[in-house]
Coordinates of all heavy atoms in Angstrom, one line a residue:
M1 N 11.6 -3.6 16.4 CA 11.5 -3.6 14.9 C 12.3 -4.7 14.4 O 13.4 -5.0 14.7 CB 12.0 -2.4 14.4 CG 11.1 -1.0 14.7 SD 9.7 -1.1 13.8 CE 8.6 0.1 14.8
N2 N 11.7 -5.4 13.4 CA 12.3 -6.5 12.6 C 13.3 -6.1 11.6 O 14.1 -6.9 11.1 CB 11.2 -7.3 12.0 CG 10.7 -8.4 13.0 OD1 11.3 -8.8 13.8 ND2 9.4 -8.7 12.8
N3 N 13.1 -4.9 11.1 CA 14.0 -4.4 9.8 C 13.7 -5.4 8.7 O 14.6 -6.1 8.2 CB 15.4 -4.4 10.2 CG 15.7 -3.1 11.0 OD1 15.2 -2.0 10.7 ND2 16.6 -3.2 12.0
T4 N 12.5 -5.5 8.4 CA 12.0 -6.5 7.2 C 12.5 -5.7 5.9 O 12.8 -4.6 5.8 CB 10.5 -6.5 7.1 OG1 10.0 -5.3 7.3 CG2 10.1 -7.5 8.2
K5 N 12.6 -6.6 5.0 CA 12.9 -6.1 3.6 C 11.6 -6.3 2.8 O 10.7 -6.9 3.0 CB 14.0 -7.0 3.0 CG 15.3 -6.9 3.8 CD 16.5 -7.0 2.9 CE 17.9 -6.6 3.6 NZ 18.0 -6.7 4.9
Y6 N 11.8 -5.6 1.6 CA 10.7 -5.6 0.7 C 10.1 -6.9 0.4 O 9.0 -7.1 0.4 CB 11.1 -4.9 -0.6 CG 10.1 -4.6 -1.6 CD1 9.2 -3.4 -1.4 CD2 10.0 -5.2 -2.8 CE1 8.3 -3.2 -2.4 CE2 9.1 -4.9 -3.8 CZ 8.3 -3.9 -3.5 OH 7.3 -3.4 -4.4
I7 N 11.1 -7.9 0.1 CA 10.7 -9.2 -0.2 C 9.9 -10.0 0.9 O 9.0 -10.7 0.6 CB 12.0 -10.0 -0.6 CG1 11.6 -11.4 -1.1 CG2 13.0 -10.1 0.5 CD1 11.2 -11.4 -2.6
D8 N 10.2 -9.6 2.1 CA 9.5 -10.1 3.3 C 8.0 -9.8 3.3 O 7.2 -10.5 3.6 CB 10.1 -9.7 4.5 CG 11.6 -10.1 4.8 OD1 11.8 -11.3 4.4 OD2 12.3 -9.3 5.2
W9 N 7.8 -8.5 2.7 CA 6.4 -8.0 2.7 C 5.7 -8.8 1.5 O 4.5 -9.3 1.6 CB 6.3 -6.5 2.4 CG 6.6 -5.8 3.6 CD1 7.8 -5.7 4.3 CD2 5.7 -5.0 4.4 NE1 7.5 -5.0 5.5 CE2 6.4 -4.5 5.5 CE3 4.3 -4.7 4.2 CZ2 5.7 -3.7 6.4 CZ3 3.7 -3.8 5.0 CH2 4.5 -3.3 6.2
L10 N 6.4 -8.9 0.3 CA 5.8 -9.5 -0.8 C 5.3 -11.0 -0.5 O 4.3 -11.4 -1.0 CB 6.8 -9.6 -2.0 CG 7.1 -8.2 -2.6 CD1 7.8 -8.4 -3.9 CD2 5.9 -7.3 -2.8
K11 N 6.1 -11.6 0.3 CA 5.8 -13.0 0.7 C 4.5 -13.2 1.5 O 3.8 -14.2 1.3 CB 6.9 -13.6 1.7 CG 8.1 -14.1 0.7 CD 9.2 -14.7 1.7 CE 10.5 -14.4 1.3 NZ 11.5 -14.6 2.4
V12 N 4.2 -12.1 2.2 CA 2.9 -12.3 3.1 C 1.6 -11.6 2.6 O 0.5 -11.8 3.1 CB 3.1 -11.9 4.5 CG1 4.3 -12.6 5.1 CG2 3.5 -10.4 4.7
L13 N 1.8 -10.7 1.6 CA 0.8 -9.8 1.2 C -0.3 -10.8 0.5 O 0.0 -11.6 -0.4 CB 1.2 -8.8 0.2 CG 2.1 -7.6 0.8 CD1 2.5 -6.7 -0.2 CD2 1.3 -7.0 2.1
P14 N -1.5 -10.6 0.9 CA -2.7 -11.4 0.3 C -2.9 -11.0 -1.2 O -2.6 -9.9 -1.6 CB -3.8 -11.0 1.0 CG -3.6 -9.7 1.7 CD -2.1 -9.6 1.8
T15 N -3.3 -11.8 -2.0 CA -3.6 -11.6 -3.5 C -4.9 -10.9 -3.5 O -5.2 -10.2 -4.5 CB -3.6 -12.7 -4.3 OG1 -4.4 -13.7 -3.7 CG2 -2.2 -13.4 -4.5
D16 N -5.8 -11.2 -2.5 CA -7.2 -10.6 -2.5 C -7.3 -9.4 -1.6 O -6.8 -9.5 -0.4 CB -8.1 -11.7 -2.0 CG -9.6 -11.3 -2.0 OD1 -9.8 -10.1 -2.2 OD2 -10.4 -12.2 -1.9
D17 N -7.7 -8.3 -2.0 CA -7.7 -7.0 -1.3 C -8.5 -7.2 0.0 O -8.3 -6.5 1.0 CB -8.2 -5.9 -2.1 CG -7.1 -5.2 -3.0 OD1 -6.0 -5.6 -2.8 OD2 -7.5 -4.5 -3.9
L18 N -9.6 -8.1 -0.1 CA -10.5 -8.2 1.0 C -9.8 -8.8 2.3 O -10.1 -8.8 3.4 CB -11.7 -9.2 0.7 CG -12.6 -8.6 -0.4 CD1 -13.6 -9.6 -0.9 CD2 -13.3 -7.3 0.1
R19 N -8.6 -9.4 2.0 CA -7.9 -10.2 3.1 C -6.8 -9.3 3.9 O -6.1 -9.8 4.7 CB -7.4 -11.5 2.6 CG -8.5 -12.4 2.1 CD -8.1 -13.7 1.6 NE -7.2 -14.4 2.6 CZ -6.2 -15.1 2.4 NH1 -5.8 -15.4 1.1 NH2 -5.5 -15.7 3.4
Y20 N -6.7 -8.0 3.4 CA -5.6 -7.1 4.1 C -5.9 -7.0 5.5 O -5.2 -6.8 6.3 CB -5.5 -5.8 3.3 CG -4.6 -6.0 2.1 CD1 -4.9 -6.5 0.9 CD2 -3.2 -5.5 2.4 CE1 -4.0 -6.5 0.0 CE2 -2.3 -5.6 1.4 CZ -2.6 -6.1 0.1 OH -1.8 -6.2 -0.9
D21 N -7.2 -7.0 5.8 CA -7.8 -6.9 7.2 C -7.2 -7.9 8.1 O -6.9 -7.8 9.3 CB -9.3 -6.9 7.3 CG -9.8 -5.5 7.0 OD1 -9.0 -4.6 6.7 OD2 -11.1 -5.4 6.8
E22 N -6.9 -9.1 7.6 CA -6.6 -10.2 8.4 C -5.0 -10.6 8.2 O -4.6 -11.6 8.6 CB -7.5 -11.4 8.1 CG -7.6 -11.8 6.7 CD -8.6 -12.9 6.4 OE1 -9.8 -12.6 6.7 OE2 -8.4 -13.9 5.8
C23 N -4.4 -9.8 7.4 CA -2.9 -10.0 7.2 C -2.2 -9.3 8.3 O -2.3 -8.2 8.7 CB -2.6 -9.3 5.9 SG -1.0 -9.7 5.4
A24 N -1.2 -10.1 8.9 CA -0.4 -9.6 9.9 C 0.8 -8.8 9.3 O 1.4 -9.2 8.4 CB 0.1 -10.7 10.8
C25 N 1.2 -7.7 10.0 CA 2.2 -6.9 9.4 C 3.5 -7.6 9.6 O 3.8 -8.2 10.7 CB 2.3 -5.7 10.2 SG 3.9 -4.6 10.1
P26 N 4.3 -7.8 8.5 CA 5.6 -8.5 8.7 C 6.7 -7.9 9.7 O 7.6 -8.5 10.1 CB 6.2 -8.6 7.3 CG 5.3 -7.7 6.4 CD 4.1 -7.3 7.2
E27 N 6.5 -6.6 9.7 CA 7.4 -5.8 10.6 C 7.1 -6.0 12.1 O 7.9 -6.3 12.9 CB 7.4 -4.3 10.2 CG 8.3 -3.5 10.9 CD 9.7 -3.6 10.5 OE1 10.0 -4.2 9.4 OE2 10.7 -3.2 11.3
C28 N 5.9 -5.7 12.6 CA 5.5 -5.7 13.9 C 4.5 -6.7 14.4 O 4.3 -6.9 15.5 CB 5.1 -4.3 14.4 SG 3.3 -4.0 13.8
G29 N 3.9 -7.4 13.4 CA 3.0 -8.6 13.8 C 1.5 -8.0 14.0 O 0.7 -8.8 14.2
S30 N 1.3 -6.8 13.9 CA -0.1 -6.3 14.2 C -1.0 -6.7 13.0 O -0.6 -6.9 11.9 CB -0.1 -4.7 14.1 OG 0.5 -4.2 15.3
L31 N -2.2 -7.0 13.4 CA -3.1 -7.5 12.4 C -3.9 -6.4 11.7 O -4.3 -5.4 12.2 CB -4.2 -8.4 13.1 CG -4.8 -9.5 12.3 CD1 -3.7 -10.5 11.8 CD2 -5.8 -10.3 13.2
G32 N -3.9 -6.5 10.3 CA -4.6 -5.6 9.5 C -3.6 -4.6 8.9 O -3.0 -3.7 9.5
L33 N -3.6 -4.7 7.6 CA -2.8 -3.7 6.8 C -3.7 -2.8 5.9 O -4.8 -3.2 5.5 CB -1.8 -4.4 5.9 CG -0.7 -5.3 6.6 CD1 0.0 -6.0 5.5 CD2 0.2 -4.5 7.4
K34 N -3.2 -1.6 5.7 CA -3.9 -0.6 4.9 C -3.5 -0.6 3.5 O -2.2 -0.9 3.3 CB -4.0 0.8 5.5 CG -4.5 0.8 7.0 CD -6.1 0.8 6.9 CE -6.6 0.6 8.4 NZ -6.2 1.6 9.3
Y35 N -4.1 -0.2 2.5 CA -3.7 0.0 1.2 C -4.3 1.1 0.4 O -5.4 1.5 0.7 CB -3.7 -1.3 0.4 CG -5.2 -1.8 0.2 CD1 -5.9 -1.3 -1.0 CD2 -5.8 -2.5 1.0 CE1 -7.1 -1.7 -1.2 CE2 -7.1 -3.0 0.8 CZ -7.7 -2.6 -0.4 OH -9.1 -3.0 -0.5
Q36 N -3.6 1.6 -0.5 CA -4.3 2.7 -1.3 C -3.7 2.6 -2.8 O -2.5 2.4 -2.9 CB -3.9 4.1 -0.8 CG -4.5 5.3 -1.7 CD -6.0 5.4 -1.8 OE1 -6.7 5.4 -0.7 NE2 -6.5 5.4 -3.0
Y37 N -4.6 2.6 -3.7 CA -4.1 2.6 -5.1 C -3.9 4.0 -5.7 O -4.6 4.9 -5.3 CB -5.3 1.9 -5.9 CG -5.3 0.4 -5.9 CD1 -6.2 -0.2 -5.0 CD2 -4.4 -0.4 -6.6 CE1 -6.3 -1.6 -4.9 CE2 -4.5 -1.8 -6.4 CZ -5.4 -2.4 -5.5 OH -5.5 -3.7 -5.4
F38 N -3.0 4.1 -6.4 CA -2.7 5.4 -7.3 C -2.5 5.0 -8.7 O -2.2 4.0 -9.0 CB -1.4 5.9 -6.7 CG -1.3 6.3 -5.4 CD1 -1.0 5.3 -4.5 CD2 -1.6 7.5 -4.9 CE1 -0.8 5.7 -3.1 CE2 -1.5 7.8 -3.6 CZ -1.2 7.0 -2.6
G39 N -2.7 6.1 -9.5 CA -2.3 5.8 -10.9 C -3.2 6.4 -11.9 O -4.0 7.3 -11.6
L40 N -3.1 5.7 -13.1 CA -3.9 6.2 -14.1 C -5.0 5.3 -14.5 O -4.8 4.2 -15.1 CB -2.9 6.3 -15.4 CG -1.7 7.2 -15.2 CD1 -0.7 7.0 -16.2 CD2 -2.2 8.6 -15.3
K41 N -6.2 5.5 -13.9 CA -7.2 4.6 -14.0 C -7.6 4.2 -15.4 O -8.0 3.0 -15.6 CB -8.5 5.2 -13.3 CG -9.5 4.2 -12.6 CD -10.5 4.9 -11.9 CE -11.1 4.1 -10.9 NZ -11.9 4.9 -9.9
K42 N -7.5 5.1 -16.3 CA -7.8 4.8 -17.7 C -7.2 3.5 -18.2 O -7.7 2.7 -19.0 CB -7.4 6.0 -18.6 CG -8.5 7.1 -18.6 CD -8.0 8.3 -19.4 CE -7.2 9.2 -18.5 NZ -6.7 10.5 -19.0
I43 N -5.8 3.3 -17.9 CA -5.1 2.2 -18.3 C -5.2 1.0 -17.4 O -4.8 -0.1 -17.8 CB -3.7 2.5 -18.9 CG1 -2.9 3.0 -17.7 CG2 -3.7 3.6 -19.9 CD1 -1.5 3.0 -17.8
G44 N -5.8 1.2 -16.3 CA -5.9 0.0 -15.3 C -4.7 -0.4 -14.6 O -4.7 -1.4 -13.8
F45 N -3.6 0.4 -14.7 CA -2.4 0.1 -14.1 C -1.9 1.2 -13.2 O -2.2 2.4 -13.6 CB -1.3 -0.4 -15.0 CG -1.3 -1.8 -15.3 CD1 -2.1 -2.2 -16.4 CD2 -0.8 -2.7 -14.5 CE1 -2.2 -3.6 -16.6 CE2 -0.9 -4.2 -14.8 CZ -1.6 -4.5 -15.9
G46 N -1.2 1.1 -12.2 CA -0.6 2.2 -11.4 C 0.2 1.5 -10.3 O 1.0 0.6 -10.6
W47 N 0.1 2.1 -9.1 CA 0.9 1.6 -8.1 C 0.0 1.6 -6.8 O -1.0 2.1 -6.8 CB 2.2 2.4 -7.8 CG 2.1 3.8 -7.4 CD1 2.2 4.3 -6.1 CD2 1.8 5.0 -8.3 NE1 2.0 5.6 -6.1 CE2 1.7 6.1 -7.5 CE3 1.6 5.0 -9.6 CZ2 1.5 7.3 -7.9 CZ3 1.3 6.3 -10.0 CH2 1.3 7.5 -9.3
K48 N 0.4 0.7 -5.9 CA -0.3 0.5 -4.7 C 0.6 0.6 -3.4 O 1.7 0.0 -3.3 CB -0.8 -0.9 -4.7 CG -1.7 -1.4 -3.6 CD -2.0 -2.9 -3.9 CE -3.1 -3.4 -3.0 NZ -3.3 -4.7 -3.3
L49 N 0.2 1.5 -2.5 CA 0.9 1.7 -1.3 C 0.3 0.8 -0.2 O -1.0 0.8 -0.1 CB 0.9 3.2 -0.9 CG 1.6 3.6 0.4 CD1 3.2 3.5 0.1 CD2 1.3 4.9 0.9
I50 N 1.0 0.1 0.5 CA 0.5 -0.8 1.6 C 1.2 -0.4 2.9 O 2.4 -0.2 2.8 CB 0.7 -2.3 1.3 CG1 0.0 -2.7 -0.1 CG2 0.5 -3.1 2.4 CD1 0.7 -3.7 -0.8
W51 N 0.4 -0.2 3.9 CA 1.1 0.2 5.2 C 0.5 -0.4 6.4 O -0.6 -0.8 6.4 CB 1.2 1.7 5.2 CG -0.1 2.4 5.6 CD1 -0.4 2.9 6.8 CD2 -1.1 2.9 4.6 NE1 -1.6 3.5 6.7 CE2 -2.0 3.5 5.3 CE3 -1.1 2.8 3.2 CZ2 -3.2 4.1 4.7 CZ3 -2.3 3.3 2.7 CH2 -3.3 4.0 3.3
C52 N 1.3 -0.2 7.5 CA 0.8 -0.7 8.8 C 0.6 0.6 9.7 O 1.5 1.3 9.8 CB 1.8 -1.7 9.5 SG 1.4 -2.0 11.2
D53 N -0.6 0.8 10.2 CA -0.8 1.9 11.1 C -0.1 1.8 12.5 O 0.2 2.8 13.1 CB -2.2 2.1 11.4 CG -3.0 3.0 10.2 OD1 -2.1 3.8 9.7 OD2 -4.1 3.1 10.2
A54 N 0.2 0.7 12.8 CA 0.8 0.4 14.2 C 2.3 0.9 14.2 O 2.7 1.5 15.0 CB 0.7 -1.1 14.6
C55 N 3.0 0.4 13.2 CA 4.5 0.7 13.3 C 4.9 1.6 12.1 O 6.1 1.9 11.9 CB 5.2 -0.6 13.2 SG 5.2 -1.4 11.5
K56 N 4.0 2.1 11.2 CA 4.2 3.1 10.2 C 5.0 2.6 9.1 O 5.6 3.3 8.3 CB 4.7 4.4 10.7 CG 4.2 4.8 12.1 CD 2.7 5.1 12.0 CE 2.3 5.7 13.3 NZ 0.8 5.4 13.5
S57 N 5.2 1.2 9.0 CA 6.0 0.7 7.8 C 5.1 0.6 6.7 O 3.9 0.4 6.7 CB 6.5 -0.7 8.2 OG 7.3 -0.7 9.3
A58 N 5.8 0.8 5.4 CA 5.0 0.8 4.2 C 5.9 0.3 3.1 O 7.1 0.3 3.2 CB 4.6 2.2 3.9
V59 N 5.2 -0.3 2.0 CA 5.8 -0.7 0.8 C 5.1 -0.2 -0.3 O 3.8 -0.1 -0.2 CB 6.0 -2.3 0.7 CG1 7.1 -2.8 1.7 CG2 4.7 -3.0 0.8
N60 N 5.8 -0.1 -1.3 CA 5.2 0.6 -2.6 C 5.3 -0.5 -3.7 O 6.3 -0.9 -4.1 CB 5.9 1.8 -3.0 CG 5.0 2.7 -3.8 OD1 3.8 2.6 -4.1 ND2 5.7 3.6 -4.6
I61 N 4.0 -0.9 -4.2 CA 4.1 -1.9 -5.2 C 3.9 -1.3 -6.5 O 2.8 -0.6 -6.8 CB 3.1 -3.0 -5.0 CG1 2.9 -3.5 -3.6 CG2 3.0 -3.9 -6.1 CD1 3.9 -4.5 -3.3
S62 N 4.9 -1.1 -7.4 CA 4.8 -0.6 -8.6 C 4.1 -1.6 -9.6 O 4.1 -2.7 -9.5 CB 6.2 -0.1 -9.2 OG 7.0 -1.1 -9.2
R63 N 3.6 -0.9 -10.7 CA 3.0 -1.7 -11.7 C 1.8 -2.6 -11.2 O 1.7 -3.8 -11.5 CB 3.9 -2.6 -12.5 CG 4.9 -1.9 -13.2 CD 6.1 -2.8 -13.7 NE 7.2 -2.2 -14.2 CZ 7.3 -1.8 -15.5 NH1 6.5 -2.3 -16.4 NH2 8.4 -1.2 -15.9
A64 N 1.1 -2.0 -10.3 CA 0.0 -2.7 -9.8 C -1.3 -2.7 -10.7 O -1.5 -1.6 -11.3 CB -0.4 -2.2 -8.4
K65 N -1.9 -3.8 -10.8 CA -3.1 -3.8 -11.6 C -4.2 -3.2 -10.7 O -4.5 -3.5 -9.7 CB -3.6 -5.2 -12.0 CG -4.7 -5.2 -13.0 CD -4.9 -6.6 -13.5 CE -5.9 -6.7 -14.6 NZ -6.9 -5.7 -14.7
I66 N -5.0 -2.2 -11.2 CA -6.1 -1.6 -10.5 C -7.4 -2.3 -10.7 O -7.9 -2.2 -11.8 CB -6.2 -0.1 -10.9 CG1 -4.8 0.5 -10.9 CG2 -7.1 0.6 -9.9 CD1 -4.3 1.6 -10.0
P67 N -8.0 -2.9 -9.6 CA -9.3 -3.5 -9.9 C -10.4 -2.6 -10.2 O -10.3 -1.5 -9.8 CB -9.5 -4.2 -8.5 CG -8.2 -4.2 -7.8 CD -7.5 -2.9 -8.3
E68 N -11.3 -3.2 -10.9 CA -12.6 -2.3 -11.2 C -13.2 -1.8 -10.0 O -13.3 -2.6 -8.9 CB -13.6 -3.2 -11.9 CG -13.3 -3.5 -13.3 CD -13.5 -2.4 -14.2 OE1 -14.5 -1.6 -14.0 OE2 -12.7 -2.1 -15.2
G69 N -13.6 -0.5 -10.0 CA -14.4 0.0 -8.9 C -13.7 0.3 -7.6 O -14.3 0.7 -6.6
V70 N -12.4 0.2 -7.5 CA -11.6 0.4 -6.3 C -11.3 1.9 -6.3 O -11.2 2.6 -7.1 CB -10.3 -0.5 -6.3 CG1 -9.2 0.2 -7.1 CG2 -9.8 -0.6 -4.9
N71 N -11.1 2.4 -5.0 CA -10.7 3.7 -4.8 C -9.3 4.0 -5.2 O -8.4 3.4 -4.7 CB -10.9 4.2 -3.3 CG -10.4 5.5 -3.0 OD1 -10.4 6.4 -3.9 ND2 -10.0 5.7 -1.7
C72 N -9.2 4.8 -6.2 CA -7.8 5.0 -6.9 C -7.6 6.4 -7.0 O -8.4 7.1 -7.6 CB -7.7 4.3 -8.1 SG -6.2 4.5 -8.9
L73 N -6.5 6.9 -6.5 CA -6.2 8.4 -6.6 C -5.5 8.6 -7.9 O -4.3 8.1 -8.1 CB -5.2 8.9 -5.4 CG -5.9 8.7 -4.0 CD1 -5.0 9.2 -2.9 CD2 -7.2 9.4 -4.0
V74 N -6.1 9.3 -8.7 CA -5.5 9.5 -10.1 C -5.0 11.0 -10.3 O -4.1 11.1 -10.8 CB -6.7 9.3 -11.2 CG1 -6.2 9.6 -12.6 CG2 -7.2 7.8 -11.1
D75 N -5.9 11.8 -9.6 CA -5.5 13.2 -9.7 C -4.2 13.6 -8.9 O -4.0 13.1 -7.8 CB -6.7 14.0 -9.0 CG -6.5 15.5 -9.1 OD1 -6.7 16.1 -10.2 OD2 -6.2 16.1 -8.0
G76 N -3.3 14.4 -9.5 CA -2.2 14.8 -9.0 C -2.2 15.4 -7.6 O -1.4 15.3 -6.8
Y77 N -3.2 16.4 -7.6 CA -3.4 17.1 -6.3 C -3.8 16.2 -5.2 O -3.4 16.2 -4.1 CB -4.5 18.1 -6.6 CG -4.9 19.0 -5.3 CD1 -4.0 19.9 -4.8 CD2 -6.1 18.6 -4.6 CE1 -4.3 20.6 -3.6 CE2 -6.3 19.2 -3.4 CZ -5.5 20.3 -3.0 OH -5.7 20.9 -1.8
E78 N -4.8 15.2 -5.5 CA -5.2 14.2 -4.4 C -4.0 13.4 -4.1 O -3.9 13.0 -2.8 CB -6.3 13.4 -5.0 CG -7.6 14.0 -5.1 CD -8.7 13.2 -5.7 OE1 -8.4 12.0 -6.1 OE2 -9.9 13.6 -5.7
Q79 N -3.2 13.0 -5.0 CA -2.0 12.1 -4.6 C -1.1 12.9 -3.8 O -0.6 12.4 -2.7 CB -1.3 11.7 -6.0 CG -2.2 10.8 -6.8 CD -1.3 10.3 -7.9 OE1 -0.2 10.8 -8.3 NE2 -1.9 9.5 -8.7
A80 N -0.9 14.3 -4.0 CA 0.1 15.0 -3.2 C -0.6 15.2 -1.7 O 0.1 15.2 -0.7 CB 0.2 16.4 -3.8
E81 N -1.9 15.4 -1.7 CA -2.5 15.6 -0.5 C -2.4 14.3 0.5 O -2.1 14.4 1.5 CB -4.0 15.8 -0.8 CG -5.0 16.1 0.4 CD -4.9 17.6 0.8 OE1 -3.9 18.3 0.3 OE2 -5.8 18.2 1.3
F82 N -2.7 13.2 -0.2 CA -2.5 11.8 0.5 C -1.1 11.7 0.9 O -0.9 11.4 2.2 CB -2.9 10.7 -0.5 CG -2.7 9.3 0.2 CD1 -3.8 8.8 0.8 CD2 -1.5 8.7 0.2 CE1 -3.7 7.5 1.3 CE2 -1.5 7.6 0.9 CZ -2.6 6.9 1.4
N83 N -0.1 12.0 0.2 CA 1.2 11.9 0.5 C 1.5 12.8 1.8 O 2.3 12.4 2.6 CB 2.2 12.1 -0.5 CG 2.2 11.0 -1.5 OD1 1.8 9.8 -1.2 ND2 2.5 11.3 -2.8
A84 N 1.0 13.9 1.7 CA 1.2 14.8 2.9 C 0.6 14.3 4.1 O 1.3 14.5 5.2 CB 0.7 16.2 2.5
Q85 N -0.5 13.8 4.1 CA -1.3 13.3 5.2 C -0.5 12.0 5.7 O -0.8 11.6 6.9 CB -2.6 12.9 4.9 CG -3.5 14.1 4.8 CD -4.9 13.9 4.2 OE1 -5.1 12.6 3.8 NE2 -5.7 14.8 4.0
H86 N 0.3 11.3 4.9 CA 0.9 10.0 5.3 C 2.4 10.1 5.3 O 3.1 9.2 5.0 CB 0.4 8.9 4.5 CG -1.0 8.6 4.4 ND1 -2.0 9.4 3.9 CD2 -1.7 7.6 5.3 CE1 -3.2 8.9 4.2 NE2 -3.0 7.9 5.0
S87 N 3.0 11.4 5.5 CA 4.4 11.6 5.4 C 5.1 10.8 6.5 O 6.3 10.8 6.5 CB 4.6 13.1 5.4 OG 4.2 13.6 6.6
Y88 N 4.3 10.4 7.6 CA 5.0 9.7 8.7 C 5.4 8.2 8.3 O 6.1 7.6 9.1 CB 4.0 9.7 9.9 CG 2.7 9.1 9.5 CD1 2.5 7.6 9.7 CD2 1.6 9.8 9.2 CE1 1.3 7.0 9.4 CE2 0.3 9.3 8.9 CZ 0.2 7.8 9.0 OH -0.9 7.2 8.6
L89 N 4.9 7.8 7.3 CA 5.1 6.3 6.8 C 6.7 6.2 6.5 O 7.3 7.1 5.9 CB 4.3 6.0 5.6 CG 2.8 5.9 5.9 CD1 2.2 5.5 4.6 CD2 2.5 4.8 7.0
R90 N 7.1 5.0 6.9 CA 8.6 4.7 6.7 C 8.6 3.6 5.5 O 8.1 2.5 5.7 CB 9.1 4.1 8.0 CG 10.7 3.7 7.8 CD 11.1 3.3 9.2 NE 10.5 2.0 9.6 CZ 11.0 0.7 9.3 NH1 12.1 0.6 8.6 NH2 10.3 -0.3 9.7
L91 N 9.0 4.1 4.3 CA 8.9 3.2 3.2 C 10.1 2.2 3.3 O 11.3 2.6 3.3 CB 9.0 4.1 2.0 CG 8.4 3.4 0.7 CD1 6.9 3.2 0.8 CD2 8.6 4.4 -0.5
I92 N 9.7 0.9 3.0 CA 10.7 -0.2 3.0 C 11.0 -0.5 1.5 O 10.1 -0.7 0.7 CB 10.2 -1.4 3.8 CG1 10.1 -1.1 5.2 CG2 11.0 -2.6 3.5 CD1 9.3 -2.1 6.0
S93 N 12.3 -0.6 1.2 CA 12.6 -0.9 -0.1 C 13.5 -2.1 -0.2 O 14.0 -2.7 0.8 CB 13.4 0.3 -0.8 OG 14.4 0.7 0.0
Ligands
LIG1 ZN1 3.5 -3.0 11.6

């Protein structure tokens, strides 16, 4: 493990969501990061969780702008469900 910091992730994260597939994990170097948007779709802002399935590292981007038409978990129950299913993630701050 590299013990990366939040800032190390911000440096490599693509601005375009389509390019997450080709982004190498700053922690372990595996190719392809996952992401999920959360929030209040009505106002177009929320937060975005980004993680690596290989090493289970994750970062949480607050105040993320939610693009049109993207899958965004707004419902509190759905958010809790997602968090339960991904409780193995290790959040980097
Ligand atoms: Zn990784």
Side-chain angles (χ1 to χ4, degrees):
M1 291 288 161
N2 269 329
N3 284 317
T4 50
K5 297 212 166 26
Y6 190 74
I7 186 81
D8 298 321
W9 283 67
L10 292 191
K11 279 184 210 157
V12 300
L13 292 178
T15 50
D16 184 346
D17 280 350
L18 295 173
R19 297 182 56 213
Y20 273 80
D21 278 352
E22 55 194 56
C23 182
C25 169
E27 182 74 19
C28 73
S30 290
L31 210 56
L33 296 173
K34 304 281 173 57
Y35 64 87
Q36 174 66 53
Y37 285 99
F38 298 86
L40 304 161
K41 209 170 200 168
K42 275 175 273 181
I43 59 169
F45 276 89
W47 64 100
K48 182 182 189 181
L49 182 72
I50 296 151
W51 74 95
C52 167
D53 266 339
C55 69
K56 321 297 185 207
S57 301
V59 289
N60 199 16
I61 310 286
S62 55
R63 296 169 191 268
K65 189 171 184 339
I66 315 244
E68 285 286 323
V70 78
N71 173 28
C72 176
L73 298 181
V74 178
D75 181 77
Y77 177 77
E78 283 180 356
Q79 291 181 357
E81 189 85 334
F82 180 93
N83 287 334
Q85 285 166 3
H86 295 80
S87 57
Y88 58 85
L89 293 178
R90 184 177 62 93
L91 208 59
I92 291 168
S93 53

